Amino acid sequence: MSDHYVKVKVQLEQMKSSGEGVEKEEADIIKDEVLVASPPASVSPILASDTPAAQRETPKTSVTCRNQSKSRSKLGKDEKNTCTKQDSVPALQGTIVASNANSGKPVNRKNNEQQMLQIKGTGKILQGKTETNGNTVPIHPPEDIKVGPHNKEDANKVAKRRKPVTVDTFKAKTSLEALKLSIRQLKWKEFPVGRRSACDIYWHGVSFHDNDNIISGQVNKFPGMIEMLRKINLTRAVRTMQELFPEEYNFYPRSWILPEEYQLFSTQISLAKDSDVSQKPTFIIKPDGGSQGDGIYLIRDPGDLRVIAGSHNKQSVVQEYIHKPLLIDKLKFDIRLYVLVKSLEPLEIYIAKEGLSRFCTEPYQEPSQKNLSHVFMHLTNYSLNVQSGNFVHSDSLSSGSKRTFSSVLYRLASKGVDIKKVWSDIISLVIKTVIALVPELKVYYQADIPPGKPGPTCFQILGFDILLMKNLKPVLLEVNANPSMRIEHEQEVSPGVFEYVPSPVDEEVKVGVIRDTLRLMDPAQRKSGTGEEGRVLPSMCLKQVFPKYTKQFSYLRIVERITALFLRFLGVKGNMRLGPTGFRTFIRNCKLSNSHFSMATVDILYIDITRRWASMLPDSREAGMGLQAFVEAFFYLAQRRFKSLPLREQVVSLLEVCEAQLENQGRGDPGGALSAPQLCSPATPRRASSQDYRLHQRLRPTHKGNVEN
């Protein structure tokens, strides 16, 4: 040990005894002397001796510091322990220098000695314990030494240098005011008229295609969401799930699609009335593309339909009317809940903890022939009831014709209602509905953003309209792709003169939903705890429900597995329809044909199903088999193969066969582990009867990257 090192050690002991703050830090390799010549901004763990310039200057600097250290005992407390040469050696700024006191060359010591760290401008020396494992661990300064911005001015400079998140609001439309307020609270940067260079987030008012020139960033709309949430497509998606899981999907009223199912609707209602004369059902008619209550009316007999059977211009959905809704103040009401679908793959769903309760403006009476036309009594749509003279705009969150959902829950809780059970049922409804929508959305996504094509990722806020029955069971009325995000309402300030005034209840709910959606979509994934002028932001109002509850609902994702097969055999990137060749390839690769089911029969099946779906979708310009038609064909094949099983087990059994064949082919085994004669063997139904196996197997699709968000 050098004389110099002994002197430094003695000095260190003197500093300890005099109350000087000296911190101990662990390090793996010992150097003779470690000097830091840098401003207080940082202490770099990189050794200066690693650079050529540092290696040339190290000997001189070490000598200077060594000579200076000899006279340190004569220095007063207020004098700084700095090296005169260091300021003239740029290579040493912000680095740790290790040197031998005699030769100026770096030396590793493997005994249990200590490191020394001198911080320029502080007069403090750090020491660390050494280890013998040969690893280099940087020495950290003590907590009382500020190595970052050490005053408010420096902190503000760092905050300014941090790149703010940019949001393009040019297409935001009705959600603009709430969006502006949210961006301001987050201290992000808004571009109200667009931007030449790319933004981090694009906020569209209507659809994904509001701006087709986006090749990066994030867009607040999914391709195909508007199409999927039209009344007919939503009904078809839920109906498919009802075939597989009738009990789980009984939250959606029985529905018929017009005009194609008019005869079925008429026949079923006539039979029901004949079997029970006292039965007087009521039905609600909803135009397929209607919104804000436009075109909705009630009937009690199929003959009262205003839509002429066979007309393709006025497609609509007929639903059973809910006779016994929950009433508050003798008024019928519904719930608008905001749901964020953050991504499709993996599926992420968030539900807002707060929603809106929208009340009718006439006391409720059970429907009769006399009151069927009383829309203010039977329909809860805000856009309809706001036209009523009884509509009450209130500054309170718990009164008026529009209130917070939490105020309704509080009132129910005061009457002994189990609020946790109500919320649990609503969350279940939301998750199941989104699971029903996801398969078709994945097809739309890969069509607009095929693999290898640059494009944005997507997220979307949906508006779920839910009705609580008298027994507190939630019923899904509809899902809105573009729920209103206005935070003001129109008010007549003088006869014939209207202006928009703030709506406290809308602002309370909607600003939080938009703000926290932006926080979740922050590309840097920063935890935004403070907002405008340093104010602390409220806690997140969005609660994750999926994948949080994956175990409870993953067994429902059977149609997604069928969709993975469909996407695998589409062939052409960006296509949404399966051609005859692709369908034949699917049958052949999965070994579903045999002597009783020839390829000629396969072709006939393809033609029949495709033609029928083409007649149901008159506006479709693309030829071929869509996903819903493919699902129908798959159900048919499953029923043909496994006749003795219930439909759900038939479908799962066929999925296992297809997935096993494709997996074996992927391993280079063209023959496959399962040949055609084995498809109906007793082993397959037995395996299908195992819930754990049936419900948790997953196909690994070829185009997994198609829908990453």
Side-chain angles (χ1 to χ4, degrees), residues 561-635:
R561 295 166 65 186
I562 300 175
T563 305
L565 293 173
F566 178 78
L567 293 174
R568 183 181 185 120
F569 292 99
L570 274 181
V572 180
K573 290 182 179 180
N575 193 12
M576 292 183 62
R577 304 282 175 148
L578 187 67
T581 303
F583 189 71
R584 288 170 64 93
T585 304
F586 157 68
I587 297 292
R588 188 181 298 111
N589 286 9
C590 294
K591 300 191 180 299
L592 301 182
S593 62
N594 52 36
S595 58
H596 301 291
F597 189 65
S598 64
M599 294 305 293
T601 308
V602 170
D603 292 338
I604 294 173
L605 174 65
Y606 175 86
I607 293 170
D608 287 347
I609 292 180
T610 303
R611 281 180 178 174
R612 187 159 54 79
W613 276 89
S615 66
M616 293 189 295
L617 303 171
D619 297 334
S620 177
R621 300 177 182 177
E622 196 173 353
M625 178 181 280
L627 176 62
Q628 287 291 336
F630 181 78
V631 169
E632 181 184 328
F634 196 90
F635 282 13

Side-chain angles (χ1 to χ4, degrees), residues 230-246:
R230 293 172 73 97
K231 309 294 190 298
I232 290 178
N233 287 335
L234 174 62
T235 298
R236 284 178 175 146
V238 175
R239 185 184 289 176
T240 298
M241 299 302 292
Q242 286 175 333
E243 290 184 60
L244 296 170
F245 307 97

Side-chain angles (χ1 to χ4, degrees), residues 282-300:
T282 304
F283 305 93
I284 184 168
I285 315 300
K286 301 178 180 179
D288 181 41
S291 61
Q292 299 182 340
D294 183 37
I296 298 179
Y297 63 97
L298 273 62
I299 64 170
R300 305 203 75 179

Side-chain angles (χ1 to χ4, degrees), residues 125-143:
I125 299 176
L126 309 184
Q127 68 179 18
K129 296 178 181 178
T130 61
E131 298 182 14
T132 57
N133 57 8
N135 294 326
T136 302
V137 176
I139 297 179
H140 304 287
E143 293 179 359

Side-chain angles (χ1 to χ4, degrees), residues 546-555 696:
F546 201 91
K548 181 177 181 179
Y549 301 123
T550 299
K551 291 182 180 180
Q552 292 93 320
F553 298 97
S554 60
Y555 72 96
H696 299 289

